Amino acid sequence: MTRIPEFRAAKWNEPVVMEMGRPGARGQLFPAPEEEVTQAVGTNLIPGAMARKDSAKLPEITEFEAQRHYLHLSQMTLGMMGISLFGTCTMKYNSKTAEYATLRPELAEVHPYQHPDTLQGVLEIIHDFDGILRSLSGMDQFIFQAGGGADAAYTMTAVARAYWQDRGMLGQRTEMVTSMQAHPCNPATAAAAGFKVVNLPLEENGYPSLDALKAAVSEKTALIMINNPDDMGIYNPEIKEWVKVAKEAGALCFYDHANFNGVMGKLSARELGFDACMFMLHKTFGAPKAGGGPAVGAYGCTDALAPYLPCPVVVKDGDRYVLDEDRPKSAGKVREFWGNIPQVVKAYAWSRAMGADGINLASDISVVANNYMDKKLAEIPGLEISNPSINAHRMEMTRWSLGPLTEETGVSTVDFANRMADYGIDPYWMSHEPWIVAEPFTPEAGELWSKEDIDTWIGVIAQIAEEARIDPEMVKTAPHNQAIAQVKGDAFEDPAKWAMTWRAYQRKILGENKAKGVA
Amino acid sequence: MTDTTRAHPWMANSAPGAIQAMLDEIGAASVADVFEQIPQDHFRTTPLDLPPTLSSEIELKRDLVSKLKKNSDCETNLSFLGAGVWQHHVPAIVDEIVGRTEFATNVWGSYQSDHGRNQAWFEFSSQLGALLNLDVVQLPVYSWGCAIGHAMRMAQRITGRSKVIVSQLSDPERLSVIRTYCQPSAMESHIEVVMVAVDPTTGRIDINDMKSKLDGDVAAVYVENPAYLGTIETEAAEIARLARAAGAETIVGVDPVSLGVMTAPGDYGADIVTGPVQPLGVHMQCGGGVGGFIASRDEEKYVLEYNGFLVSIVETLEPGQVGFGLACPHQNSYGSREHGKDWTGNSTYLWAIAGAVYMSLLGPEGFRELGNLIVSRARYAAKCLSEVPGVKIVWPDTTFKEFVVNFDDTGKTVAEVNDLLRARGIFGGKDISGEDNALGQSALYCVTEVHTAADIRTLCATLKEVLS
């Protein structure tokens, strides 16, 4: 019998920090400038026109009050400390050993413009991790400047621009071809880089046809950007032919390896013919996402594209590690400095602790566990797997539909997700846009969670499906056991009501109430 | 050696029998069966060639720490490096809160389950808005340079114009990012980056040169205050006025730790404001601590052009209760793919939490004290350095925490000076002699609240010693 969590979130009714405190209270004192300093330079050093006259309207609270307030906020944050089968994000354990190593002053208090002689340790780690990713992908050079997976996709578009510019063909190679099921960052970054986006529709079998690709690529195609397997858990078996077709048209081929977890150790982007790929260190390689970064999109490419990489590139010169900034064909930087280095160190630590066998085992487990999850989900009435005609086992995640249950009960996938939070279970990922199945959700079992965890998660899904039949209104008004009730969404699109700061809230909402005599 | 006989501490189903139990339930004969979608000729043929596995926590820790100890850091040495990453004091409470596993978690976090995180985000925007005197603050993007790039693209969409004006003395690191965002000239949606001259006597933007370049094609003027080389832009209000008269947006870049003593950009005509988040309680982390904010007035023409996450306070179903969620979600790339405003994804949102804690600890008086301490010590350092034979301060008495030190009359290059200092436990300022600035052998020094008067005297005494 599966044990369903009886969860109650901490509920502190915590005020917004802007409401807290008392005039003159202090949380942090700074020393006064030394007497020798003021004697030498005087006071009121900011020129009159730029000297601040008003006092910033910040809270005035004690050190303890700040600590308590933010601890309360952390307690009102689930943060995956239940069970999260959040598809497309590959939930992992984040090693505290690695985390604590990066907090040491030897990394935390290091400046990227220090002389390389004083940076040999961190450069060695970056260099060694580059080597690990080269082995996993077959690529020749990795850089870590991109601040996330989307930024690595953007890096690809910048490299492609430099590549075509170098050939005098940037005016001709103006298009990027992708699948309508590719992660939104691929079309979005290509568009932001100035390329025209060509989206290929999906066929019955779950992926775009080779014929559609052939029709789409031409002498105008700068690059294709594609993930495989996709978020449905479907692997495109024609991917080698895709790369061949694209290359025959002269296009560059970029492998978005967001969904690497099920194929790590098993596929090599280079052997499949790709020119470049990216790995998300905050997903596949055990670094935290931290609610949305700092993250790293590790971007790797062949020697043919390496001259166009953003600088600097970490290289080994004899016994020394150096930062190569002298790359005249470089596309330019996508972000300042070398990247989110602590996350690179954590990913290096993950790779070393897993080893080649551990990485292979993890992809085995993630695909087996996902199929176990699929089997159990299929036993719950009202749920339907996407592309039901495909009988083959899915990869490391699967797109499902709540469509039949919604038709039966009126409970939508959004309602369902809200209710999951009541059990201390992170709401599932639904789907990227566009939604190509009704009421989608996309779970991913991964190698972290035990079979018992998966059973518990399935038990909660089954229970909510039952609740949807017995008391749909209760599900639709969830969450009920969370720190706060369901938020009313109408203000998010209403310029008269949205308030992105306390200042705006006071002006638009509290001020309005005051006028009516409410506040 | 890889240990295949023991379960891995990070994989529950590596325990003996767990995989088989799942295969039995699925009805698959082997692990290979579940990979049936992948054609056989797609599987890699070259075996993985990875370094030996570090199976135990003990071995892993030893490897990480022994490698990191080969670094030399700014806690052991006395560092005057800045220019995009600055050494500031990080209160212990900030480290405690950002280290909480609920925040430093592997999950991206949903709004229903992570209310406390959402509130901390809103408090970051609210407190930064109070420093800037602006009503809209987006959660931070990857870096300051990226924030400027997005802001310029916002201005392009708002005005329909495709030129931006920036200072000739811009940070090459940020400028490289800006140029990437503005696209090569072969692209149809390219933004031309026009350099405006700087008054060589003050380091400030040459207003007359700016006027001559402010034509009807200019989408935005970008001005930093304090600027890359530390100078305070006293004419910022006039620059904003001229830009507005020409139909252009004014984008300002500010250092948030200056805002206890420097005028809020919302009060001198800035339309879109950008800046770094690293000074607000984030360690330097070899550049891995950077992030950039974007802020503006609460006008639809700006709000509807943001690329990332705007967190709004809203009512909940329970009367009198408030919660938080994302405003205007359909305009970002998750909602609109290639039709969205630029793109977004994982960013630097943990640093929004760091910033929220940091700003709540300082309060208005803390920011005032901090700003005053920094500017006082930085000016003191400049003054003391100017007394070292051969050393000149390029623009004295006009700077905040950074300033240009010229070594032309010492007969030594900055690189030579820095080598000599480093041998004595001092990291000299950033060598800017290779940059396009006509400033000769100059370095950009940074002095903050962590540098005491005694540290400054140590620097000057050591310089005197190595230059004599």
Side-chain angles (χ1 to χ4, degrees), chain A residues 257-467:
Chain A
H257 251 320
N259 300 343
F260 188 54
N261 215 53
V263 298
M264 54 186 180
K266 297 179 171 58
L267 298 184
S268 154
R270 186 68 170 277
E271 288 186 30
L272 293 172
F274 285 94
D275 302 298
C277 71
M278 73 96 175
F279 296 118
M280 292 197 230
L281 305 190
H282 47 288
K283 293 184 181 177
T284 318
F285 289 83
K289 275 176 277 298
V296 178
Y299 176 85
C301 63
T302 63
D303 278 333
L305 287 183
Y308 309 103
L309 284 171
C311 294
V313 176
V314 176
V315 294
K316 195 171 185 183
D317 180 15
D319 294 341
R320 288 184 78 250
Y321 300 94
V322 294
L323 290 158
D324 181 6
E325 290 269 7
D326 184 22
R327 301 172 80 91
K329 291 186 176 180
S330 169
K333 294 173 193 290
V334 295
R335 185 178 191 236
E336 297 95 305
F337 310 112
W338 335 335
N340 288 322
I341 300 307
Q343 318 307 341
V344 177
V345 172
K346 289 169 201 172
Y348 163 82
W350 180 87
S351 309
R352 293 301 310 272
M354 295 293 283
D357 290 344
I359 287 172
N360 247 314
L361 181 59
S363 60
D364 283 354
I365 291 174
S366 67
V367 179
V368 172
N370 196 59
N371 278 281
Y372 173 74
M373 174 200 77
D374 279 346
K375 171 89 183 342
K376 294 290 173 184
L377 280 176
E379 293 166 4
I380 302 173
L383 277 51
E384 187 176 66
I385 196 166
S386 69
N387 305 78
S389 61
I390 297 173
N391 291 320
H393 293 104
R394 298 294 166 97
M395 296 297 295
E396 86 293 0
M397 78 178 94
T398 308
R399 173 72 40 79
W400 281 80
S401 169
L402 213 62
L405 186 76
T406 306
E407 268 185 39
E408 183 189 338
T409 65
V411 168
S412 71
T413 191
V414 175
D415 302 330
F416 205 95
N418 285 342
R419 180 61 178 157
M420 289 173 77
D422 278 340
Y423 291 97
I425 300 288
D426 290 81
Y428 49 48
W429 174 242
M430 287 176 272
S431 168
H432 289 299
E433 298 286 342
W435 284 10
I436 51 182
V437 304
E439 305 300 324
F441 68 102
T442 313
E444 173 178 351
E447 79 273 14
L448 168 65
W449 310 105
S450 67
K451 183 167 169 289
E452 298 78 31
D453 287 334
I454 296 170
D455 288 339
T456 301
W457 192 88
I458 298 283
V460 168
I461 297 288
Q463 175 135 330
I464 299 172
E466 268 317 291
E467 289 173 349

Side-chain angles (χ1 to χ4, degrees), chain A residues 36 52 79 92 109-110 113-114 124 199 240 271 289-290 333 336-337 348 393 418 501 507-508, chain B residues 36 41 44 46 63 70 72 105-106 112 131 135 142-143 145 173 180 283 286 298 338 380 457:
Chain A
E36 67 186 88
R52 187 164 188 142
K92 304 235 171 185
E109 300 302 334
V110 162
Y113 288 152
Q114 283 176 219
E124 180 181 353
N199 286 299
K240 277 177 126 174
E271 288 186 30
K289 275 176 277 298
K333 294 173 193 290
E336 297 95 305
F337 310 112
Y348 163 82
H393 293 104
N418 285 342
T501 55
R507 174 172 58 80
K508 293 160 95 165
Chain B
E36 64 188 323
D41 69 345
R44 60 183 298 149
T46 37
D63 180 82
K70 295 175 190 171
S72 200
T105 169
N106 197 228
Q112 306 97 322
L131 282 168
D135 278 0
Y142 306 121
S143 70
E173 190 93 30
T180 300
H283 297 276
C286 204
D298 189 359
E338 67 268 29
Y380 180 62
R457 277 187 268 112

Side-chain angles (χ1 to χ4, degrees), chain A residues 13-21 59 61 69-70 73 501-503 505, chain B residues 115 119-120 122-124 126-127 313 322-324:
Chain A
N13 294 327
E14 192 70 13
V16 174
V17 74
M18 308 304 278
E19 303 173 274
M20 292 169 58
I61 58 179
H69 173 68
Y70 286 101
L73 294 189
T501 55
W502 187 253
R503 279 167 58 97
Y505 183 64
Chain B
H115 162 70
Q119 181 167 336
F122 177 76
E123 293 179 354
F124 166 80
S126 291
Q127 294 179 89
I313 185 170
V322 293
F324 309 89

